[in-house]
Amino acid sequence: MTAPIADLADFAALDPFFRIIEQGLDGLVDPGHFFDLLAEDVTIDYVVTVPGYPRHVEGRAAVAELYRPYGTMIVLDRCFDLAVHHDVAKGVVVLEYASEGHVVGTGRGYSNRYISVLTLRDRKVVHWRDYLDPVAVFDALGWPPDATEALQ
């Protein structure tokens, strides 16, 4: 039995992400909240990511702690354009999806596209490889500062 993740309200900024992953895995894993879909010893590799973000995370609790402060920086308003590719024989699911949201401190818009390659075993996600567009993150956060702004 997996231990519950405390204070799910802390993750409200990621609700659209959680819902699209739950939708993409519907019928392939045991039902539940996003965190319930992950094996206790899940490993996640962020293959294409941003500087300062971990490349490798081990364990469901560690994933939750990584995601817990997400809403202090970015709030997702919606996730959409879900495509699901499932290789039954290998237990691999590829999810393609997009998100839109906003940066908390500035209100600046954020949008990105993702590919998540998930390995399933015993109706749980045991491995996750994640790919996103880091430039979209930089643009939303205003990094690096626009050269014309720096000159003023």
Side-chain angles (χ1 to χ4, degrees), residues 1 13 16 18 22 37 49 72 104 119 149:
M1 180 171 176
F18 295 152
E22 292 162 6
L37 312 181
T49 187
T72 63
V104 172
T119 303
E149 292 176 18

Side-chain angles (χ1 to χ4, degrees), residues 80-91:
F80 57 99
D81 280 351
L82 176 64
V84 179
H85 313 279
H86 182 207
D87 182 331
V88 177
K90 293 184 179 180

Side-chain angles (χ1 to χ4, degrees), residues 70-83:
Y70 193 92
T72 63
M73 187 176 307
I74 295 176
V75 172
L76 296 181
D77 299 319
R78 71 182 192 125
C79 286
F80 57 99
D81 280 351
L82 176 64

